[in-house]
Amino acid sequence: MTDLSLPLSGVRVADFSRVLTGPFATMLLGDLGADVIKIEPPGGDDTRGWGPPFQVGEGGRESSYFLSVNRNKRSVLLDLKTPEGLDAARKIVAGSDLLVENFRPGTLERLGLGWDDLHAAFPRLIYATITGFGLSGPYRDRAGYDVVAQGMGGMMSYNGDLGGRPLRVGVAVADVFSGALVTQAVLAALYQREKTGVGVRVDVNLLESVIALGSSQVGRYLATGEVPVPVGNDHRSIVPYGTVQCGDGFVNIAVGNDALWRRFCAALALTELGADARFATNEGRVTHRAELDVLMLGGLAAYTRQEVMDRLDVAGVPCGPVNDLAEVFADPHVQARGVAVTVPHPTLGETTVTSPPWRFGGEALPVRRAPPTAGQHTAEVLAELTAGP
């Protein structure tokens, strides 16, 4: 796939964002073909110093955290506190379709780079703002971080094991999901601009993203008033659905309906369970979850993990192993899909990153640029501004 055939070829993004939410969003836009200009302060994005771990090469070292969310971008170092830096930033914005920022509310306004000023000057510009709590409300000016949003949005209250302490999800889901929502929103805004000729401001925040991510848990509360509690790897409304223990390890299963339940029992020769009227329907299995868990544990103890998966695969019952990341990237399917891509890097020699998570017309989207070093493209981009269109 050539650069010109990429979906967002010709779209330019002025990326003022830092750390994770904004950089994840702009990375996805870069994956889709946009020219993402990552505008960093003189010291670089904070995450350049987040480590260990660092990847080390002959030309220096790079934070693995930074590398994970900054492929397909160009880096420009600008000091927005100087007239020269501010002028260059404004010129980059003038040639851009999108601006993405995640400063505290009011920061860019004080520099003359806020929505009102830029919309007046560049009415086609789409302006995406990412905050902890939104652009209105009592918490408007509070700083937002993933762990704070997971707690305030309720996620930590229903994540983890029953009776355990509140537990953060092991990846920054508030940041990542917010970033994905930003990407979705600005794509819609680009489409809307084709009809109206005018850009809009997009407002995404971590708190509401976490609440939205709660989906069925939130829906259950709104429908019943019942406050969800942690249930470990089980599902509150589907049984069995989650992690089951075999003779030598754990397997995830998804018995999403009664027909799958019958096939599950037949595949593993769980004759008594299959004939037990208490478990014939999903409602019955949810009601009698504790009894079923005890009986199922005894029945599955006779099988290895691989035996359970082999039998369920033949029966068409969704299942899969609980992998660590070494097992994930050793998986032949993951390898066949090209999920890990090794690309040249100016200081490391080469680095391995994940590939863009979509295919268009059956083709994988390329990693056109390795995550940039700090200011790698400053001279290049400033020369483009001088040269003009």
Side-chain angles (χ1 to χ4, degrees):
M1 182 174 285
T2 66
D3 284 4
L4 291 177
S5 66
L6 291 168
L8 292 185
S9 174
V11 172
R12 175 168 284 184
V13 180
D15 180 12
F16 289 84
S17 67
R18 311 98 69 229
V19 187
L20 181 53
T21 308
F24 184 81
T26 55
M27 179 178 71
L28 296 181
L29 295 170
D31 290 346
L32 292 167
D35 177 18
V36 178
I37 300 177
K38 182 176 178 64
I39 300 164
E40 303 184 62
D45 189 310
D46 287 349
T47 59
R48 290 188 181 277
W50 285 12
F54 295 96
Q55 184 177 347
V56 181
E58 291 186 2
R61 68 177 193 172
E62 301 290 338
S63 160
S64 65
Y65 197 112
F66 179 87
L67 293 171
S68 71
V69 289
N70 284 289
R71 63 178 180 254
N72 286 332
K73 302 178 186 180
R74 297 194 286 170
S75 170
V76 174
L77 293 183
L78 295 178
D79 186 350
L80 299 182
K81 297 178 181 178
T82 67
E84 298 79 12
L86 201 55
D87 180 63
R90 192 173 176 88
K91 287 178 179 177
I92 292 172
V93 171
S96 297
D97 298 278
L98 308 172
L99 182 153
V100 180
E101 62 95 5
N102 60 351
F103 289 93
R104 278 199 187 192
T107 301
L108 289 188
E109 283 77 2
R110 289 190 290 273
L111 295 172
L113 295 173
W115 160 251
D116 290 336
D117 289 332
L118 293 183
H119 182 61
F122 313 113
R124 287 179 57 82
L125 180 71
I126 294 163
Y127 193 110
T129 294
I130 307 160
T131 61
F133 303 96
L135 295 175
S136 61
Y139 301 154
R140 175 185 182 274
D141 295 325
R142 293 180 62 171
Y145 284 86
D146 178 87
V147 66
V148 174
Q150 286 197 38
M152 293 182 69
M155 183 163 287
M156 290 176 63
S157 73
Y158 52 76
N159 185 49
D161 292 321
L162 182 62
R165 60 184 295 188
L167 190 65
R168 181 180 72 88
V169 177
V171 70
V173 293
D175 284 331
V176 171
F177 187 59
S178 296
L181 291 180
V182 171
T183 305
Q184 181 184 59
V186 298
L187 292 176
L190 281 168
Y191 179 72
Q192 182 185 53
R193 191 181 68 180
E194 290 301 302
K195 297 183 289 183
T196 66
V198 179
V200 297
R201 188 175 198 180
V202 172
D203 170 13
V204 175
N205 70 82
L206 302 188
L207 177 61
E208 289 171 48
S209 296
V210 168
I211 295 171
L213 187 58
S215 58
S216 61
Q217 296 281 32
V218 172
R220 183 187 187 98
Y221 167 72
L222 293 176
T224 68
E226 179 187 345
V227 176
V229 297
V231 291
N233 292 330
D234 291 335
H235 195 290
R236 293 179 61 84
S237 301
I238 308 172
V239 174
Y241 186 108
T243 306
V244 296
Q245 186 170 0
C246 313
D248 66 344
F250 295 93
V251 174
N252 282 324
I253 60 171
V255 181
N257 58 51
D258 298 335
L260 284 174
W261 168 248
R262 292 189 290 271
R263 283 151 59 184
F264 172 82
C265 292
L268 298 173
L270 302 174
T271 307
E272 291 186 12
L273 282 182
D276 194 319
R278 292 176 298 172
F279 310 134
T281 67
N282 182 70
E283 182 177 355
R285 294 190 295 276
V286 171
T287 302
H288 299 285
R289 180 194 301 266
E291 302 99 296
L292 178 58
D293 284 347
V294 172
L295 295 171
M296 217 166 41
L297 181 63
L300 293 176
Y303 298 100
T304 66
R305 185 172 84 156
Q306 193 60 52
E307 286 171 340
V308 169
M309 290 189 295
D310 288 345
R311 285 170 173 257
L312 294 183
D313 277 341
V314 170
V317 177
C319 65
V322 179
N323 287 334
D324 61 29
L325 284 178
E327 292 169 318
V328 170
F329 286 99
D331 188 296
H333 181 83
V334 172
Q335 292 180 348
R337 295 286 293 179
V339 174
V341 180
T342 298
V343 292
H345 189 277
T347 59
L348 302 176
E350 61 180 27
T351 188
T352 301
V353 296
T354 54
S355 61
W358 316 279
R359 297 195 177 211
F360 280 74
E363 289 191 60
L365 300 180
V367 178
R368 309 184 316 283
R369 299 177 183 274
T373 56
Q376 179 182 341
H377 304 96
T378 301
E380 174 182 300
V381 171
L382 294 183
E384 292 172 2
L385 296 178
T386 302

